[in-house]
Amino acid sequence: MTLRIIVAGATGWTGSAVAKGVLDADDMTLVGAVARASAGQDIGTVLGRDAIGLAVCETLEEALREPCDIVIDYTKPHVVKGHTITALNKGVHVVIGTSGLTADDFTEIEKLALQTIVATEKSCRLLERSTPISRKSEGPLVASGPLLLRYPSI
């Protein structure tokens, strides 16, 4: 199975490395790239490669017009939560690589992820976090680094 990937922040420091990795992978296909400053340009040429026939989108909503399995977000703290909610509301899985979300943000995202994915796929494993998690006394979970929302269909 080839995973269809959208990278938000595809021209940034880390996002460009992720986009190149997706382009080079045998089991993934880059179906969307989001970067406001490069909107309309071919993502291949933006990344210093040959053109691949995929225009960079200005918004995630625009990129999500193309069916995809996963959105990988390496944008900015003030953008990532909105991107995550948008993708989850469309039933798309999300990898969050952007830092800056609060424990309350993660709680809200987790609740929406469980509601959305359970409703569309009937069953769901608990969130699998690919990052260190700590709990301060009885407070909320605090995560640092990428958060992977993983479900049975992936």
Side-chain angles (χ1 to χ4, degrees):
M1 175 180 155
T2 300
L3 295 175
R4 299 166 298 176
I5 308 291
I6 292 175
V7 178
T11 61
W13 180 261
T14 304
S16 62
V18 170
K20 288 174 183 176
V22 171
L23 287 171
D24 293 340
D26 293 333
D27 58 349
M28 292 184 266
T29 301
L30 188 67
V31 297
V34 180
R36 289 179 302 148
S38 300
Q41 299 177 56
D42 187 281
I43 188 60
T45 58
V46 171
L47 296 175
R49 297 177 171 202
D50 292 333
I52 64 167
L54 178 65
V56 176
C57 296
E58 185 172 356
T59 66
L60 180 62
E61 292 82 358
E62 181 184 350
L64 284 168
R65 292 181 190 144
E66 183 69 29
C68 78
D69 302 302
I70 302 169
V71 169
I72 302 173
D73 191 291
Y74 274 96
T75 56
K76 305 256 186 227
H78 67 280
V79 176
V80 65
K81 182 178 174 184
H83 279 179
T84 303
I85 290 170
T86 296
L88 290 173
N89 280 328
K90 293 189 173 286
V92 176
H93 306 285
V94 180
V95 175
I96 298 172
T98 305
S99 61
L101 291 173
T102 66
D104 288 341
D105 292 334
F106 281 115
T107 299
E108 181 181 345
I109 289 167
E110 180 178 30
K111 181 179 177 183
L112 178 61
L114 292 171
Q115 290 171 350
T116 305
I117 303 301
V118 168
T120 58
E121 296 189 17
K122 305 280 194 244
S123 64
C124 165
R125 289 190 289 160
L126 291 176
L127 294 176
E128 178 181 311
R129 291 178 170 92
S130 61
T131 184
I133 301 284
S134 65
R135 183 181 293 273
K136 296 179 181 177
S137 64
E138 293 301 313
L141 290 174
V142 178
S144 61
L147 175 70
L148 171 61
L149 307 180
R150 174 173 267 159
Y151 298 94
S153 67
I154 293 182

